[in-house]
Amino acid sequence: MSFGKEQTGDRELDDVMLLVQNEIANTKLQPISLAYAPDDYLGYTLTPHINVKSEKWDGGHTYITITFYDLYTDQSVAVVKSSGIGLSISQDQKLALGAIRKKLQTIFSKKE
Protein backbone atom coordinates (compact mmCIF):
# COMPACT_ATOMS: atom_id res chain seq x y z
CA MET A 1 0.00 0.00 0.00
CA SER A 2 1.26 3.47 -0.88
CA PHE A 3 -0.66 6.51 0.30
CA GLY A 4 -2.29 8.38 -2.56
CA LYS A 5 -4.09 11.67 -2.68
CA GLU A 6 -5.73 13.11 0.36
CA GLN A 7 -8.46 15.68 0.18
CA THR A 8 -10.33 17.56 2.81
CA GLY A 9 -11.20 20.83 1.15
CA ASP A 10 -10.49 22.30 4.59
CA ARG A 11 -6.99 22.58 6.09
CA GLU A 12 -8.55 22.45 9.57
CA LEU A 13 -9.23 18.75 8.96
CA ASP A 14 -5.59 17.79 8.40
CA ASP A 15 -5.44 16.30 11.91
CA VAL A 16 -8.36 14.01 11.06
CA MET A 17 -6.62 13.06 7.79
CA LEU A 18 -3.54 12.02 9.76
CA LEU A 19 -5.67 9.95 12.13
CA VAL A 20 -7.31 8.19 9.16
CA GLN A 21 -3.86 7.43 7.72
CA ASN A 22 -2.86 5.97 11.09
CA GLU A 23 -5.97 3.77 11.09
CA ILE A 24 -5.05 2.44 7.65
CA ALA A 25 -1.49 1.82 8.86
CA ASN A 26 -2.89 -0.17 11.83
CA THR A 27 -4.33 -2.79 9.47
CA LYS A 28 -2.45 -5.70 7.91
CA LEU A 29 -1.80 -3.60 4.81
CA GLN A 30 1.92 -2.91 4.59
CA PRO A 31 3.02 0.63 3.68
CA ILE A 32 5.73 0.83 1.00
CA SER A 33 7.72 3.59 -0.64
CA LEU A 34 7.22 3.64 -4.38
CA ALA A 35 10.75 4.95 -4.78
CA TYR A 36 12.10 1.62 -3.46
CA ALA A 37 9.31 -0.77 -4.43
CA PRO A 38 10.23 -3.62 -6.76
CA ASP A 39 8.31 -3.81 -10.04
CA ASP A 40 6.59 -7.02 -8.93
CA TYR A 41 4.66 -4.99 -6.30
CA LEU A 42 2.74 -3.17 -9.02
CA GLY A 43 -0.01 -5.78 -9.32
CA TYR A 44 -0.48 -5.92 -5.54
CA THR A 45 -0.26 -2.31 -4.43
CA LEU A 46 -3.22 -0.22 -3.33
CA THR A 47 -3.24 3.55 -3.01
CA PRO A 48 -5.84 4.94 -0.60
CA HIS A 49 -7.36 8.29 -1.49
CA ILE A 50 -8.90 9.85 1.62
CA ASN A 51 -11.67 12.43 1.73
CA VAL A 52 -12.89 14.04 4.96
CA LYS A 53 -15.74 16.51 5.21
CA SER A 54 -17.16 18.11 8.36
CA GLU A 55 -20.31 20.18 8.20
CA LYS A 56 -19.99 23.12 10.58
CA TRP A 57 -23.61 23.82 11.34
CA ASP A 58 -25.68 22.57 14.28
CA GLY A 59 -26.56 18.94 13.73
CA GLY A 60 -23.87 18.64 11.04
CA HIS A 61 -22.09 15.43 10.13
CA THR A 62 -18.51 14.33 9.53
CA TYR A 63 -18.00 12.05 6.53
CA ILE A 64 -14.89 9.95 5.84
CA THR A 65 -14.45 8.16 2.53
CA ILE A 66 -11.43 6.06 1.59
CA THR A 67 -11.20 4.85 -1.99
CA PHE A 68 -8.53 2.21 -2.59
CA TYR A 69 -7.10 2.21 -6.12
CA ASP A 70 -4.93 -0.42 -7.79
CA LEU A 71 -1.61 1.33 -8.41
CA TYR A 72 -0.99 -0.44 -11.71
CA THR A 73 -4.41 -0.02 -13.34
CA ASP A 74 -5.67 3.03 -11.40
CA GLN A 75 -9.00 1.20 -11.03
CA SER A 76 -11.08 1.57 -7.89
CA VAL A 77 -10.87 -1.66 -5.88
CA ALA A 78 -12.75 -0.80 -2.68
CA VAL A 79 -14.56 2.12 -1.07
CA VAL A 80 -14.90 2.40 2.70
CA LYS A 81 -17.23 5.06 4.12
CA SER A 82 -18.24 6.26 7.55
CA SER A 83 -20.01 9.19 9.11
CA GLY A 84 -20.64 10.55 12.55
CA ILE A 85 -23.20 12.82 14.09
CA GLY A 86 -22.87 14.02 17.64
CA LEU A 87 -23.39 17.07 19.79
CA SER A 88 -20.29 18.86 18.50
CA ILE A 89 -17.95 18.83 15.51
CA SER A 90 -15.22 17.08 17.51
CA GLN A 91 -17.68 14.41 18.64
CA ASP A 92 -18.84 13.98 15.00
CA GLN A 93 -15.22 13.43 13.98
CA LYS A 94 -14.55 10.93 16.78
CA LEU A 95 -17.64 8.92 15.86
CA ALA A 96 -16.75 8.89 12.15
CA LEU A 97 -13.16 7.90 12.95
CA GLY A 98 -14.33 5.07 15.24
CA ALA A 99 -16.66 3.80 12.53
CA ILE A 100 -13.94 3.87 9.86
CA ARG A 101 -11.58 2.05 12.26
CA LYS A 102 -14.08 -0.80 12.70
CA LYS A 103 -14.71 -1.08 8.96
CA LEU A 104 -10.99 -1.11 8.11
CA GLN A 105 -10.33 -3.79 10.72
CA THR A 106 -13.22 -5.88 9.41
CA ILE A 107 -11.98 -5.65 5.81
CA PHE A 108 -8.20 -5.73 6.26
CA SER A 109 -7.81 -7.09 9.84
CA LYS A 110 -5.81 -5.43 12.57
CA LYS A 111 -2.03 -5.70 12.89
CA GLU A 112 -1.00 -8.25 15.46
Side-chain angles (χ1 to χ4, degrees), residues 64-106:
I64 300 173
T65 304
I66 307 168
T67 305
F68 290 91
Y69 289 90
D70 180 283
L71 179 66
Y72 183 68
T73 64
D74 203 32
Q75 293 292 318
S76 174
V77 175
V79 178
V80 182
K81 296 181 180 184
S82 74
S83 66
I85 184 167
L87 300 176
S88 66
I89 293 172
S90 64
Q91 189 179 26
D92 295 349
Q93 293 170 350
K94 287 178 187 176
L95 291 170
L97 190 62
I100 207 79
R101 176 184 306 119
K102 288 179 184 178
K103 288 182 179 184
L104 287 169
Q105 290 176 2
T106 298

Side-chain angles (χ1 to χ4, degrees), residues 15 28 46 61-62 70 94:
D15 56 337
K28 287 190 176 183
L46 299 175
H61 285 76
T62 292
D70 180 283
K94 287 178 187 176

Side-chain angles (χ1 to χ4, degrees), residues 14-31:
D14 283 350
D15 56 337
V16 179
M17 294 290 297
L18 182 60
L19 293 171
V20 173
Q21 288 180 353
N22 289 340
E23 292 302 332
I24 295 169
N26 283 331
T27 66
K28 287 190 176 183
L29 293 174
Q30 181 170 345

